[in-house]
Amino acid sequence: MNFPALPSSLRRFVASLALLPLVFAAGVVQAQAGDALPPRATAALAAAVDGAHRSPAYRARDGARHPLETLAFFGIRPDSTVIEIAPGGGWYTEILAPYLHDHGRLYAAHEPADGSPGQQRARTAFRDKLARDPKVYGRVVLGTMPTSAFTDIRPPGGADAVLTFRNIHNWIEDGHFDESLRAFYDVLKPGGVLGVEEHRAPAGTSLARVIASGYVPQELVIERAKAAGFVFAGSSEVNANPRDTKDHANGVWSLPPTLRGGEVDRAKYQAIGESDRMTLKFVKPLRPSR
């Protein structure tokens, strides 16, 4: 198929819809991430993904991280109020900030300003990134990610979405996964979405192995989100990678972009690519479940 008039990311997205049918199983939609957005919103999101402001190193990861399909699956619209949890260096911020700039609002829940030296450096680097391009990032609200509750992020009326990308293994190791889920539940408006992307472990993987490897069983995430009050709304295989055997010497950090093993088996890990990842959507019910 050829779509010469469309941005490159939108051409890939449209072409992919013809390849991956919807599968209905056990009352849960498992789909190619897509149909949640109207065409105009999809085009605006594609323009943000293809924006010239994005750093080349981040753009190089699009083929592994599928930002257009992932955000469309979560149903993020240009007028959404979104909290991005632990944005790191701003990989998704580079897309969300311009997409939400005119009609929505992006809150970035970063490391605490009074945290460890490493946390302070990460937050300062992110803050400086926002300051360097106010045209793109001038409306982003920088706050602090919660362990038990949000302290400085309180969207009026609640957020439309809370998004987390490859963070849950850290919260399990730090011992506040359940508390963080409850904080996400509380900050969302009724009907709001929790969007999760995380490295996926084989079913039944022990917590010790989760901490050592960085891979988390999908059923564990669903179970704990439900315990926090969320309804499981669906999953997408858009970020699946069947080449990932999940048995690497340095866990998920063996793979790109970290490549912790250096030159040892580097070509092997580059051929595998980024990790196999779950992409899950949860909804805060209109009536409280807890």
Side-chain angles (χ1 to χ4, degrees), residues 82-95:
V82 175
I83 303 174
E84 182 185 0
I85 306 295
W91 198 93
Y92 260 100
T93 310
E94 286 191 353
I95 298 167

Side-chain angles (χ1 to χ4, degrees), residues 97-117:
Y99 180 59
L100 301 173
H101 184 278
D102 291 345
H103 306 290
R105 177 70 77 179
L106 176 61
Y107 293 80
H110 215 288
E111 303 286 359
D114 59 352
S116 69

Side-chain angles (χ1 to χ4, degrees), residues 8-21:
S8 60
S9 63
L10 188 53
R11 293 201 301 273
R12 293 191 299 269
F13 173 67
V14 173
S16 70
L17 295 180
L19 300 176
L20 293 174

Side-chain angles (χ1 to χ4, degrees), residues 141-204:
V141 179
L142 177 58
T144 306
M145 60 181 173
T147 53
S148 59
F150 285 95
T151 58
D152 54 5
I153 294 179
R154 300 180 184 86
D160 294 300
V162 170
L163 305 179
T164 172
F165 304 98
R166 303 172 307 281
N167 295 309
I168 288 175
H169 57 285
N170 295 317
W171 303 335
I172 291 174
E173 181 176 9
D174 293 342
H176 60 78
F177 180 34
D178 290 336
E179 291 82 356
S180 293
L181 286 171
R182 287 194 289 269
F184 303 158
Y185 184 96
D186 290 340
V187 81
L188 284 166
K189 64 177 59 174
V193 167
L194 170 62
V196 171
E197 180 199 320
E198 178 58 283
H199 313 295
R200 179 164 48 193

Side-chain angles (χ1 to χ4, degrees), residues 248-250 253-255 258-270 272:
H248 320 302
N250 292 292
W253 304 281
S254 297
L255 300 176
T258 307
L259 295 168
R260 182 173 289 177
E263 294 304 315
V264 177
D265 290 329
R266 187 182 186 91
K268 166 189 168 182
Y269 292 130
Q270 287 180 320
I272 292 172

